[in-house]
C-alpha cells in the first residue's frame, strides 16, 4: 500500500512513496488542512464551510465542497481506487490517515517526548527532540491558504514554534552552550521585540559567556521598548533575572561543561562593590575549537526521500549506546556524496560539538592514508602539530579521547575499504559517522548500510526540469524521457546533460538524445567541464585486480540483460564456483548489480565503459566469448528440448559436439531454465546475426575460407539455439523474435548459406504460427521447405511439413493438410523419430475431424493413447486427449467428450501446460452446453476467455468468445452474447480465418452480427 505524508508547517506538500502530488487551488488546500487537523473525526459540511468562508459562504458552498472532495479522492487514491482515504460521513467527510503521516502531529509527539526527557533529567535528549520538531517547519504554516480556520491554525503554529525554539535554547544554556546561543537569541529578540522570555534567555547567555555588561544592556533596552510601546514595566521574571545578574548570583554561573572564561568580567563592567569583592572563579580551560568542515551541499538536491529519512533517523537516534556508523554504497556517479552532505547539513544541529569531513580518495592510485586524515582531524580539534603522536595507533587513541563525551558528526567520503576506515571511527556514543564508498564495508561495526541506486525516472526528470526549465521539457516530453533513459538515470549523467542543455539554449532535447543513441560514443558525450562519467568509472576500474578487470570486460561482450552463474562461467572459461566469486566481487565493487539471487547485470553506462575497455585491450576477445556462451546455451537448450520432445532428433542434430551444458531432472526444471534464459538467448542471437550481416554488408561476400567457416558455424548455431527453445512458449515475445529471425534470414542470405536460411525461415514460420499470423507463417514455411529440400535438411523438413499441415488446417484446406501430415509422418519414420510421428498422426487426426471424418480420428487417438507412445510426454498425451475429445464431440458423444476434456485439464494442471488447457477448457464448456449443463459450462467458458486474455492467443480468444456467447444466449443473456459474437467476428475477420462463420453459428443460433 502506498505511504502518504502531509506537510502543513509551510506550503502544503503531499508525498506518495516519496513522490510529490498535486495540491490544487488554495481553497481546496484549506479544506484538506481542516480535515488533516482532525484526523479520524468527521468534519461536517457546516464545519468545513465555516473553516473556508466563515460567516459569508458562497451560495453553492456544499456543491463546491463535494467537488473538492472528489478532486482529493482522485489525487490521494490514484492507482489504488480501493483505498478509503477520504470517506463520506453524513453531510461531511472523514480523512483516514495515521497521525504520524502529518507533520503537525509529529511535532506534538516530539514535544511530548521532549517534556518527558526533561522531567527525567535528560536535557541532551530533550534538546535533540526539540531540534527535530523545529526542523519540521518549512516556512509559514498553511502558506497561502484562505479562510478563518487556516488563519487560526497559522497563528497557533507560529506561536508553538516560538515556544519550542525558546525551550530548545533554554536547554542549550543548561548544557553549557551559552556563547553559541547569543547570535540566535539576538535575532529572536529583534524579530519578536515584545516577547519577554527571549530577552531573559539572551541575558542569561550573555552573562554565562562573561558579558554581564551586555546582559544588563539588553535589560535596559527591553525595558525602554516595553515602556514606549506598551506603557508597562517588564514582568517579574525579567526583573528578578536583572537583579540576580547585578548580584552575580552563583546559581546563574555556566554549567560545569562550559569552556568560556569569565575572568575579568566584573571589573570591566564596573559593577557594585559587593560584586568586586566576591572571589573570582578559577579560569576555565581554553575553549576547544568547534570544527565545521562540511563542504557546501548541492543547491538542487532532489528526491531520495526514503534514503534521506533512513539516514536521518540513524544519525539522530537518541537512545543508542554506540556511535552511529552509516555507510552509503553505490556505483560511481550515483550521488552518494550529494546524499551524504545533504543529510549532514540537515542534522548538523544535532551535533553541536562540530563536524569533520575528509575525502579519502578511495578511487585514486594512492588513496589517503588514515594516519594523515587523523592528523588533520586532531589539528582541527586544537592539537598542535608538535603534539601529534607519530604512529597511527596513538593517533587513533588520541582522536577517540578528544571526541569522547562530545556530539560530533564525521563524514568520510570515497572510502576504499575497511582498512582505510577502521582507525577513523570514534567510540563515543554521541558521535555519528557517514561513509560513502563504492565497496561494501565488511567486518566493521556498521549501524546502517544503504545501497544508493540510480534515480527514479521522476527524479531524473525533476533534475532536468530544474536545470533547463519547465517550458523546454514540456515542449519535448518524450525526448526528455528518452534522454534520461539514455543516461541510465545515473544522477551524474543526468546532471551533465542538463548542464550541456542549459549552456546551449538553442539545442533541442531530441538533438542531444540522438547524440547519446550510439553506445560507443555515449560516454564521450557525457562530459561537461570537469564532470565526466567515464572518469568516475575509471576510478572504480583501477581498484580491480587483473582477474576482476578481465571478468568485468568479458561479461560485457554479450547484449544480455542479465547473466546467470553457469552462463558467466562459460563466458569466462572457468568453473561455476570461480565465476560466482568473480561476479560477487564485482557486485561488492558496485560494477555489477545482482537484484535476483544468481543473476547479474550491468548498468547500461557501465556496459558501454566495459566494452570500451575491451576495444582498448583485445579486438578478438568479444567474438570468442560470444562463441563460448552460444555453445553453452545451445547445448543446454538441446538438453531442455529432450525433456520437452523426447526422442526428437532435433536435440541430437543441433547440439554442438563436445560442449557440456546443464542437465535437468525433469521437464519442469528444463522449462524454468528456458523461460529465464530465453530473452538473453534471443539477445545473443540478435547480436550475432547483426554482426554477421554487418560484416557481409561492409565487405561483400566473405572470401577468406577460414573466416567464412567461422561465420557460417556461428550463424547456424544461433538459429539452432532459438529453434531448440521454441517448445517453451518463446513465441509470446513476438515483436522481438520477429526482428531477430529477420536478422538471421538476412545474414544467411548475405552469407549464401541455404541450410541456415532454411532453418531461419522455419523459425520465422514457428513464430508467426504462435502469433496466429497464418499468411506470414505459410510464406515462410514454403520458403523453408524449398531450402530444406535443396540441402537435404530432413530433420527440419519434417517439422516444416508438419507446420504446413497445421496452416492448411487452420485455413480449412483439409485435404492439403492431410497430405502434408502424411509426408511428415513418413519422414519421421525414416528418421526414427517416434515422438514426431505420433504428434503428426494426432495432427492428421485433428484435420480429419475438421474434414468431417471424426470416426477415423477417434481410432487414431485411441491407438496413440493405448500404445504408451506418450508415457513420458505430458504435452503429447494432453494433445491426444484433446483431439479425442474433439472427435467425440463432433460425433455427438458429448458425455464421453466431457470425460476426456476433464482428464486433459487435470494433466495440463499437473504438467503446467497452460496453452493446451485453454483449448480443453472452452471445448469442455461447448460439450457441457450441448448436454444442457449451462451452469457448469458458464464458469469454464469464462475462465477459458480469461486465460486467452492472459496469454494473448488471438485465435483461441475468438473460439472462447464464440462459445461463451452461445452459453450466455442459452441462458437468456442475449445482449451480452451479441457483444461477444461481435468481438469474435471482428477478430476472426482480422486474422482472415474462414472458420469465422461456422464458429459463430450454433445449432440454435444464427450468425449474429450487426447489419452492414
Amino acid at each position: 500500500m502506498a505511504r502518504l505524508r502531509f506537510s502543513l508547517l509551510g506550503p502544503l506538500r503531499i508525498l506518495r512513496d516519496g513522490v510529490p502530488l498535486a495540491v490544487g487551488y488554495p481553497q481546496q488546500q484549506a479544506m484538506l488542512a481542516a480535515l488533516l487537523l482532525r484526523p479520524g473525526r468527521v468534519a461536517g459540511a457546516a464545519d468545513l464551510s465555516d473553516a473556508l468562508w466563515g460567516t459569508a459562504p458562497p451560495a453553492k458552498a456544499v456543491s463546491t465542497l463535494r467537488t473538492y472532495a472528489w478532486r482529493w479522492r482522485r489525487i490521494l487514491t490514484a492507482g489504488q481506487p480501493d483505498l478509503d482515504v477520504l470517506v463520506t460521513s453524513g453531510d461531511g467527510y472523514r480523512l483516514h490517515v495515521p497521525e504520524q503521516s502529518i507533520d503537525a502531529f509529529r511535532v506534538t509527539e516530539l514535544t511530548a517526548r521532549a517534556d518527558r526527557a526533561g522531567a527525567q533529567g535528560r536535557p541532551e535528549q530533550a534538546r535533540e527532540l526539540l531540534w527535530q520538531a523545529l526542523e519540521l517547519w518549512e516556512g509559514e504554516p498553511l502558506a497561502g491558504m484562505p479562510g478563518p480556520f487556516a488563519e487560526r491554525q497559522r497563528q497557533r503554529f507560529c506561536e508553538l514554534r516560538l515556544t519550542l525554539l525558546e525551550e530548545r535554547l533554554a536547554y542549550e544554556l543548561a548544557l553549557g552552550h551559552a556563547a553559541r546561543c547569543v547570535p540566535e537569541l539576538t535575532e529572536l529578540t529583534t524579530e519578536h521585540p515584545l516577547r519577554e522570555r527571549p530577552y531573559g534567555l539572551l541575558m542569561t547567555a550573555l552573562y554565562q559567556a562573561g558579558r554581564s555588561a551586555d546582559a544588563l544592556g539588553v535589560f535596559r533596552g527591553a525595558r525602554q521598548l516595553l515602556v514606549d510601546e506598551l506603557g508597562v514595566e517588564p514582568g517579574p521574571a525579567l526583573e528578578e533575572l536583572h537583579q540576580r545578574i547585578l548580584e552575580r548570583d552563583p546559581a546563574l554561573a555556566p554549567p560545569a561543561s562550559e569552556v568560556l572564561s569569565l575572568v575579568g568580567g566584573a571589573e570591566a563592567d564596573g559593577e557594585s562593590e559587593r560584586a568586586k569583592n566576591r572571589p573570582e572563579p578559577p579560569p576555565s580551560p581554553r575553549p576547544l575549537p568547534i570544527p565545521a568542515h562540511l563542504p557546501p551541499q548541492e543547491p538542487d538536491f532532489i528526491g531520495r526521500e526514503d534514503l534521506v529519512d533512513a539516514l536521518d533517523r540513524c544519525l539522530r537516534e537518541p537512545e543508542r549506546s554506540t556511535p552511529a556508523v552509516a555507510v552509503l554504497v553505490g556505483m560511481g556517479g550515483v550521488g552518494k556524496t550529494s546524499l551524504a552532505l545533504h543529510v549532514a547539513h540537515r542534522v548538523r544541529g544535532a551535533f553541536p560539538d562540530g563536524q569533520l569531513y575528509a575525502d579519502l580518495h578511495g578511487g585514486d592510485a594512492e588513496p589517503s592514508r588514515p594516519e594523515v586524515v587523523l592528523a588533520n582531524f586532531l589539528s582541527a580539534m586544537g592539537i598542535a602539530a608538535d603534539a601529534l603522536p607519530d604512529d597511527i595507533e596513538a593517533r587513533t587513541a588520541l582522536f577517540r579521547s578528544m571526541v569522547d563525551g562530545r556530539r560530533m558528526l564525521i563524514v568520510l567520503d570515497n572510502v576504499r575499504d575497511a582498512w582505510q576506515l577502521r582507525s577513523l571511527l570514534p567510540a563515543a556514543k554521541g558521535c555519528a559517522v557517514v561513509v560513502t564508498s563504492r565497496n561494501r564495508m565488511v567486518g566493521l561495526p556498521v549501524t546502517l548500510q544503504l545501497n544508493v541506486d540510480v534515480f527514479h525516472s521522476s527524479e531524473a526528470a525533476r533534475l532536468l526540469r530544474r536545470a533547463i526549465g519547465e517550458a523546454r521539457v514540456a515542449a519535448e516530453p518524450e525526448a526528455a524521457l528518452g534522454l534520461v533513459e539514455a543516461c541510465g538515470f545515473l544522477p551524474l549523467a543526468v546532471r551533465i546533460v542538463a548542464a550541456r542543455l542549459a549552456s546551449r539554449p538553442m539545442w533541442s532535447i531530441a538533438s542531444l538524445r540522438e547524440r547519446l543513441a550510439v553506445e560507443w560514443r555515449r560516454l564521450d558525450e557525457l562530459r561537461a567541464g570537469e564532470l565526466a562519467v567515464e572518469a568516475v568509472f575509471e576510478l572504480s576500474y583501477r581498484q580491480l585486480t587483473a582477474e576482476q578487470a578481465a571478468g568485468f570486460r568479458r561479461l560485457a561482450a554479450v547484449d544480455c540483460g542479465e547473466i546467470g552463474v553457469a552462463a558467466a562461467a562459460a563466458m569466462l572459461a572457468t568453473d561455476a564456483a570461480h565465476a560466482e566469486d568473480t561476479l560477487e566481487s564485482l557486485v561488492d565493487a558496485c560494477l555489477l548489480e545482482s537484484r535476483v539471487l544468481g543473476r547479474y547485470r550491468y548498468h547500461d553506462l557501465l556496459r558501454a565503459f566495459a566494452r570500451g575497455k575491451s576495444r582498448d585491450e583485445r579486438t578478438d576477445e568479444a567474438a570468442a566469448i560470444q562463441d563460448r556462451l552460444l555453445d553453452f546455451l545451445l547445448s543446454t537448450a538441446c538438453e531442455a528440448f529432450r525433456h520437452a520432445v523426447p526422442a526428437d532428433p532435433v536435440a541430437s542434430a543441433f547440439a554442438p559436439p563436445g560442449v557440456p551444458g546443464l542437465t535437468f531432472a525433469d521437464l519442469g526444471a528444463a522449462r524454468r531454465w528456458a523461460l529465464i534464459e530465453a530473452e538473453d538467448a534471443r539477445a545473443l542471437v540478435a547480436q550475432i546475426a547483426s554482426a554477421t550481416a554487418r560484416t557481409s554488408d561492409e565487405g561483400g561476400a566473405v572470401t577468406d575460407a577460414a573466416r567464412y567457416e567461422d561465420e557460417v558455424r556461428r550463424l547456424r548455431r544461433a538459429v539452432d539455439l532459438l529453434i531448440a527453445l521454441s517448445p517453451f512458449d518463446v513465441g509470446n515475445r513476438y515483436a522481438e523474435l520477429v526482428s531477430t529471425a529477420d536478422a538471421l534470414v538476412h545474414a544467411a542470405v548475405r552469407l549464401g548459406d541455404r541450410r541456415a536460411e532454411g532453418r531461419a525461415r522455419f523459425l520465422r514460420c514457428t513464430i508467426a504460427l504462435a502469433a496466429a499470423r497464418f499468411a506470414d507463417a505459410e510464406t515462410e514455411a514454403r520458403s523453408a521447405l524449398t531450402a530444406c529440400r535443396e540441402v537435404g535438411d530432413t530433420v527440419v523438413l519434417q517439422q516444416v511439413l508438419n507446420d504446413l499441415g497445421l496452416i492448411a488446417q487452420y485455413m480449412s484446406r483439409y485435404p492439403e493438410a492431410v497430405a502434408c501430415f502424411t509426408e511428415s509422418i513418413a519422414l519421421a519414420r525414416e528418421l526414427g523419430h517416434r515422438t514426431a510421428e505420433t504428434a503428426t498422426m494426432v495432427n492428421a487426426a485433428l484435420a480429419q475431424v475438421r474434414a468431417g471424418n471424426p470416426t477415423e480420428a477417434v481410432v487414431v487417438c485411441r491407438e496413440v493413447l493405448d500404445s504408451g507412445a506418450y508415457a513420458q510426454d505430458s504435452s503429447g498425451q494432453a494433445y491426444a486427449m484433446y483431439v479425442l475429445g474433439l472427435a467425440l464431440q463432433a460425433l455427438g458423444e458429448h458425455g464421453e467428450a466431457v470425460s476426456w476434456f476433464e482428464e486433459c485439464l487435470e494433466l495440463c494442471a499437473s504438467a503446467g501446460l497452460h496453452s493446451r488447457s485453454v483449448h480443453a477448457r472452452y471445448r469442455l464448456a461447448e460439450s457441457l452446453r450441448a448436454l444442457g449443463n449451462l451452469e457448469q459450462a458458464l464458469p469454464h467458458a469464462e475462465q477459458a476467455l480469461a486465460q486467452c486474455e492472459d496469454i494473448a492467443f488471438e485465435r483461441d480468444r475468438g473460439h472462447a468468445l464464440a462459445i461463451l456467447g452461445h452459453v450466455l444466449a442459452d441462458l437468456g443473456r442475449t445482449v451480452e452474447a451479441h457483444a461477444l459474437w461481435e468481438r469474435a467476428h471482428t477478430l476472426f475477420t482480422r486474422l482472415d480465418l474462414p472458420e469465422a462463420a461456422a464458429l459463430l453459428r450454433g445449432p440454435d443460433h444464427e450468425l449474429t452480427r450487426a447489419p452492414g
Side-chain angles (χ1 to χ4, degrees):
M1 180 181 294
R3 185 178 65 165
L4 292 169
R5 296 183 63 178
F6 302 86
S7 298
L8 294 170
L9 302 178
L12 176 64
R13 280 195 313 117
I14 309 172
L15 300 178
R16 181 193 291 114
D17 294 333
V19 178
L21 302 182
V23 295
Y25 300 111
Q27 216 156 41
Q28 184 179 327
Q29 297 177 25
M31 175 183 174
L32 183 67
L35 293 168
L36 284 171
L37 291 173
R38 58 172 83 199
R41 303 203 311 274
V42 175
D47 297 329
L48 292 172
S49 176
D50 179 70
L52 270 66
W53 299 290
T55 57
K60 296 183 178 180
V62 174
S63 175
T64 301
L65 290 172
R66 286 179 185 153
T67 300
Y68 292 164
W70 174 79
R71 289 176 182 168
W72 279 123
R73 283 196 186 99
R74 288 186 61 196
I75 292 170
L76 299 177
T77 63
Q80 294 181 289
D82 295 331
L83 280 180
D84 290 328
V85 178
L86 181 60
V87 298
T88 303
S89 182
D91 67 346
Y93 303 92
R94 178 169 58 239
L95 200 60
H96 280 200
V97 295
E99 289 190 355
Q100 305 93 294
S101 67
I102 306 168
D103 57 359
F105 288 96
R106 292 205 300 277
V107 166
T108 302
E109 177 199 357
L110 290 166
T111 303
R113 290 171 58 192
D115 290 343
R116 288 195 298 272
Q120 295 167 3
R122 291 182 279 122
E124 289 188 350
Q125 184 180 351
R127 184 269 312 273
E128 170 60 20
L129 290 166
L130 290 171
W131 260 113
Q132 294 179 33
L134 287 164
E135 285 184 345
L136 292 173
W137 267 266
E138 297 179 346
E140 181 185 58
L142 285 71
M145 293 187 198
F149 177 85
E151 183 56 34
R152 290 195 301 272
Q153 297 302 319
R154 234 185 324 269
Q155 293 176 7
R156 178 169 76 90
F157 287 126
C158 287
E159 179 63 28
L160 176 61
R161 180 183 175 279
L162 284 174
T163 301
L164 296 182
L165 180 58
E166 290 168 354
E167 291 185 20
R168 195 266 296 168
L169 288 165
Y171 277 117
E172 296 282 8
L173 294 177
L175 292 167
H177 305 149
R180 233 178 297 159
C181 293
V182 170
E184 196 171 357
L185 284 166
T186 302
E187 182 180 4
L188 188 60
T189 56
T190 303
E191 290 179 355
H192 303 278
L194 300 181
R195 290 179 72 91
E196 291 194 24
R197 191 180 185 196
Y199 287 120
L201 293 170
L202 178 57
M203 291 165 63
T204 304
L206 289 166
Y207 179 77
Q208 291 185 354
R211 298 168 58 185
S212 53
D214 290 339
L216 295 170
V218 167
F219 176 82
R220 288 193 296 271
R223 179 181 179 280
Q224 189 63 50
L225 180 68
L226 291 171
V227 169
D228 293 344
E229 293 290 330
L230 304 178
V232 297
E233 291 287 336
L238 208 59
E239 290 278 13
E240 180 183 354
L241 177 60
H242 176 241
Q243 189 62 36
R244 291 173 64 192
I245 291 174
L246 287 172
E247 296 176 357
R248 298 180 62 84
D249 186 345
L252 287 179
S257 61
E258 177 63 85
V259 296
L260 294 173
S261 174
L262 303 181
V263 176
E267 293 180 357
D269 293 335
E271 294 178 339
S272 65
E273 190 65 28
R274 182 177 56 174
K276 292 179 181 179
N277 293 333
R278 183 181 294 129
E280 293 288 351
S284 297
R286 177 175 169 268
L288 294 174
I290 299 175
H293 286 184
L294 294 179
Q297 59 181 320
E298 289 177 351
D300 56 354
F301 182 89
I302 62 167
R304 311 290 201 191
E305 284 84 0
D306 289 344
L307 293 177
V308 168
D309 289 347
L311 187 54
D312 189 305
R313 286 193 301 272
C314 173
L315 299 179
R316 293 180 190 267
E317 173 57 48
E319 311 249 345
R320 62 176 181 258
S321 58
T322 60
V325 179
V327 180
L328 306 180
V329 183
M331 62 186 287
V334 83
K336 303 179 296 295
T337 300
S338 298
L339 173 61
L341 292 178
H342 176 76
V343 176
H345 280 280
R346 173 169 160 162
V347 304
R348 64 184 301 172
F351 299 93
D353 296 315
Q355 304 88 40
L356 296 168
Y357 171 87
D359 184 346
L360 274 71
H361 300 282
D364 290 358
E366 295 185 9
S368 301
R369 299 188 62 79
E371 59 266 32
V372 175
V373 177
L374 284 169
N376 293 334
F377 282 176
L378 290 168
S379 175
M381 298 170 70
I383 301 299
D386 56 4
L388 283 174
D390 292 331
D391 61 277
I392 187 171
E393 289 81 6
R395 289 185 182 183
T396 299
L398 179 58
F399 169 66
R400 289 174 178 162
S401 298
M402 291 292 293
V403 300
D404 187 49
R406 306 179 76 184
R407 293 178 61 83
M408 298 189 73
L409 177 65
I410 303 162
V411 179
L412 302 172
D413 201 10
N414 293 320
V415 175
R416 171 172 286 189
D417 50 31
W419 172 83
Q420 197 184 26
L421 179 61
R422 186 172 285 107
S423 300
L424 304 177
L425 297 179
K429 68 177 184 178
C431 293
V433 183
V434 182
V435 177
T436 74
S437 180
R438 302 179 191 193
N439 298 291
R440 283 166 176 75
M441 296 293 113
V442 180
L444 291 173
V446 174
T447 311
L448 177 70
Q449 189 147 228
L450 293 173
N451 292 319
V452 184
D453 207 344
V454 297
F455 273 152
H456 296 299
S457 58
S458 60
E459 293 173 323
R462 282 166 57 195
L463 180 57
L464 188 64
R465 286 197 301 271
R466 186 173 293 181
I468 69 174
E470 295 277 356
R472 281 178 83 179
V473 174
E476 298 180 85
E478 292 184 6
L481 178 58
L483 180 64
V484 295
E485 284 178 344
C487 293
F489 304 112
L490 184 70
L492 175 61
V494 176
R495 193 173 294 281
I496 287 171
V497 298
R500 294 188 69 185
L501 287 171
S503 64
R504 295 165 176 82
M506 299 307 293
W507 276 18
S508 68
I509 299 174
S511 65
L512 185 53
R513 170 67 187 92
E514 289 170 7
R515 295 169 73 97
L516 295 179
V518 182
E519 184 188 74
W520 63 266
R521 59 176 287 184
R522 188 172 300 164
L523 292 178
D524 291 334
E525 294 291 339
L526 292 175
R527 300 174 184 273
E530 296 181 354
L531 297 179
V533 170
E534 186 171 18
V536 171
F537 290 169
E538 184 68 36
L539 294 177
S540 297
Y541 183 72
R542 288 178 191 165
Q543 297 180 36
L544 301 178
T545 65
E547 185 177 23
Q548 290 171 331
F552 175 69
R553 292 191 312 271
R554 290 170 183 166
L555 292 170
V558 178
D559 284 337
C560 296
E562 289 185 342
I563 197 77
V565 172
M571 295 172 70
L572 301 178
T574 186
D575 60 79
H578 199 139
E580 186 172 25
D581 288 344
T582 300
L583 293 165
E584 285 295 322
S585 70
L586 292 172
V587 171
D588 287 340
C590 295
L591 290 172
L592 282 183
E593 300 172 356
S594 180
R595 303 191 180 193
V596 177
L597 182 64
R599 307 287 296 174
Y600 301 86
R601 60 180 295 165
Y602 287 94
H603 182 274
D604 288 348
L605 296 180
L606 276 170
R607 184 193 302 278
F609 175 76
R611 285 183 173 165
K613 287 296 179 184
S614 295
R615 286 193 298 270
D616 292 344
E617 298 179 27
R618 290 218 20 210
T619 57
D620 59 343
E621 190 175 52
I625 293 166
Q626 291 169 12
D627 282 350
R628 289 199 295 269
L629 179 60
L630 177 61
D631 287 348
F632 164 77
L633 290 176
L634 179 55
S635 180
T636 306
C638 287
E639 176 64 18
F641 191 97
R642 288 189 183 94
H643 285 272
V645 192
D648 193 319
V650 165
S652 300
F654 287 12
V659 178
L662 300 178
T663 58
F664 304 105
D666 51 34
L667 177 58
R671 179 178 290 110
R672 285 191 294 275
W673 176 86
L675 294 179
I676 290 172
E677 297 291 350
E679 181 54 30
D680 286 345
R682 186 205 63 76
L684 173 61
V685 169
Q687 189 176 4
I688 290 171
S690 176
T692 302
R694 186 170 58 249
T695 301
S696 300
D697 288 343
E698 291 171 354
V702 180
T703 55
D704 180 80
R707 181 183 171 199
Y708 177 79
E709 289 299 325
D710 282 345
E711 295 283 359
V712 168
R713 177 187 54 78
R714 183 177 298 115
L715 184 63
R716 287 181 178 181
R717 292 188 179 183
V719 178
D720 291 349
L721 173 57
L722 289 194
I723 294 175
L725 288 170
S726 61
F728 301 100
D729 289 338
V730 294
N732 289 342
R733 305 175 180 87
Y734 180 77
E736 295 87 351
L737 284 167
V738 165
S739 64
T740 303
D742 288 348
L744 289 169
V745 170
H746 175 69
V749 170
R750 294 293 300 167
L751 281 177
D753 182 29
R754 292 287 280 165
R755 180 179 178 278
E757 182 186 350
R759 293 191 176 189
R761 291 192 183 279
F762 164 64
L763 179 63
R764 284 213 292 202
C765 168
T766 302
I767 296 166
L769 264 179
R773 298 173 183 264
F774 302 114
D776 294 342
E778 184 169 12
T779 299
E780 295 303 327
R782 295 201 180 281
S783 297
L785 186 72
T786 302
C788 289
R789 287 193 193 281
E790 183 181 316
V791 298
D793 190 356
T794 54
V795 171
V796 175
L797 179 61
Q798 185 269 326
Q799 303 273 352
V800 172
L801 286 164
N802 180 74
D803 286 355
L804 275 170
L806 291 174
I807 294 165
Q809 178 179 294
Y810 289 142
M811 305 305 292
S812 300
R813 305 195 305 260
Y814 302 117
E816 182 185 337
V818 172
C820 290
F821 288 141
T822 301
E823 186 177 356
S824 178
I825 291 169
L827 273 177
R829 287 172 179 162
E830 181 182 319
L831 292 166
H833 184 0
R834 177 61 177 152
T835 304
E837 176 190 352
T838 306
T840 310
M841 287 173 63
V842 179
N843 285 340
L846 181 58
Q848 295 286 8
V849 174
R850 302 297 188 207
N853 301 314
T855 302
E856 186 175 339
V858 169
V859 173
V860 171
C861 290
R862 289 193 191 281
E863 179 185 336
V864 166
L865 289 168
D866 291 343
S867 70
Y870 282 138
Q872 303 299 320
D873 182 3
S874 299
S875 177
Q877 190 176 4
Y879 180 39
M881 290 176 177
Y882 166 72
V883 175
L884 178 55
L886 205 61
L888 291 166
Q889 189 181 72
L891 289 168
E893 301 291 339
H894 291 290
E896 190 176 356
V898 165
S899 298
W900 281 108
F901 288 138
E902 288 178 339
E903 192 166 347
C904 177
L905 281 173
E906 289 180 13
L907 180 58
C908 289
S910 62
L913 304 172
H914 302 298
S915 58
R916 181 63 61 207
S917 71
V918 172
H919 306 147
R921 195 172 297 283
Y922 62 64
R923 293 303 180 190
L924 172 60
E926 192 172 31
S927 281
L928 287 170
R929 169 182 172 260
L931 292 170
N933 298 331
L934 299 178
E935 296 300 328
Q936 295 180 47
L938 181 61
H940 284 294
E942 290 175 333
Q943 188 175 347
L945 179 58
Q947 285 180 271
C948 289
E949 302 286 357
D950 286 342
I951 60 181
F953 284 179
E954 291 190 310
R955 178 175 175 273
D956 292 317
R957 188 185 307 142
H959 283 272
L961 286 165
I963 291 168
L964 178 56
H966 288 310
V967 174
L968 291 174
D970 287 350
L971 288 169
R973 294 160 61 177
T974 54
V975 174
E976 296 170 72
H978 281 236
L980 293 175
W981 288 331
E982 282 292 338
R983 288 173 58 193
H985 188 278
T986 301
L987 193 154
F988 282 129
T989 302
R990 179 166 57 78
L991 294 175
D992 195 23
L993 293 176
E995 59 192 315
L999 286 166
L1000 292 172
R1001 190 190 303 275
D1004 306 315
H1005 305 289
E1006 290 302 311
L1007 175 65
T1008 308
R1009 290 188 63 212

